[in-house]
Amino acid sequence: MFWEKPSLIEKCIYTIKSCNHVATLVTPVSAQMKGEIMRQIKSDDSGFTGLEAAIVLIAFVVVAAVFSYVVLGAGFFTTQKSQETVYKGVEQASTNIQMIGNVYGLSTSSSGINEIQFSIGLAPGAPSIDLTKMNILFSTPTTTPVPLSNGAEGLTTFSTKLAGTTVTSMDQNQQVLISFDVAPVPANTKMTIEMRPSVGASLPFTKTAPATITATNVLY
């Protein structure tokens, strides 16, 4: 009796029953035996199932970690932007400067007050401000508003001095003297002064000249 030459498929059939038992068939087998071998291979695949489950689990963990990082990053970014918006809104809505002491009206002629002086400081917690970017608007009931810019004393400019020295910025715990010339303001005349810093809300206030004008007058 002669054996037929085994085919390539018959030589490559493996039976895996456990990690310690691997059998290789190199001789011809019957169709029934091959079916039994294939059933054993299909029924004993627990090792492959566990490996695949581990790979899938690791993939899910990695994807979940990356997604969580992206979501947290987006949340932190949104929160930071919201805080910046709130801080900017509060900064623009509140004034950074405040009046310190009285407002004085100086007179060098009998026609009325021709110079205004007062001191300002920063509100508690306010940042330093650039005085060169600040503007002042001066008006009376009988005159049009006059815009004043920072510069040498004159009818369209105002000066900012600290202890007699001109300064261009103001920090906490400093009192800066504001001085500017105006057209003569008669007695009992109401004056409106509005200070407009570069950052923060403006600071308007109204003062009235006294009934009797002297060299130095406290406006009320």
Side-chain angles (χ1 to χ4, degrees), residues 23-170:
T24 303
L25 300 180
V26 296
T27 60
V29 294
S30 63
Q32 182 179 1
M33 182 64 68
K34 287 192 289 185
E36 180 65 23
I37 292 173
M38 295 305 295
R39 282 195 298 272
Q40 291 180 5
I41 292 175
K42 292 180 179 179
S43 62
D44 193 10
D45 58 352
S46 58
F48 290 98
T49 302
L51 179 61
E52 292 173 356
I55 293 175
V56 173
L57 179 60
I58 293 174
F60 272 118
V61 171
V62 172
V63 172
V66 173
F67 181 74
S68 300
Y69 176 79
V70 173
V71 172
L72 289 176
F76 290 149
F77 178 78
T78 303
T79 302
Q80 182 180 4
K81 288 299 181 182
S82 301
Q83 290 178 347
E84 291 178 0
T85 302
V86 172
Y87 293 153
K88 285 294 182 182
V90 173
E91 182 179 340
Q92 293 295 333
S94 59
T95 181
N96 292 330
I97 56 177
Q98 60 183 358
M99 292 287 303
I100 299 177
N102 297 320
V103 178
Y104 297 94
L106 307 181
S107 176
T108 57
S109 65
S110 58
S111 57
I113 295 172
N114 53 16
E115 184 179 353
I116 306 296
Q117 286 187 358
F118 55 88
S119 296
I120 62 171
L122 290 176
S128 302
I129 64 172
D130 186 356
L131 297 175
T132 62
K133 297 181 180 179
M134 185 174 68
N135 296 313
I136 296 177
L137 193 65
F138 177 84
S139 64
T140 66
T142 59
T143 61
T144 58
V146 179
L148 308 173
S149 59
N150 196 328
E153 294 183 14
L155 294 178
T156 59
T157 58
F158 65 91
S159 63
T160 52
K161 295 183 179 181
L162 178 63
T165 302
T166 300
V167 292
T168 58
S169 63
M170 180 171 60

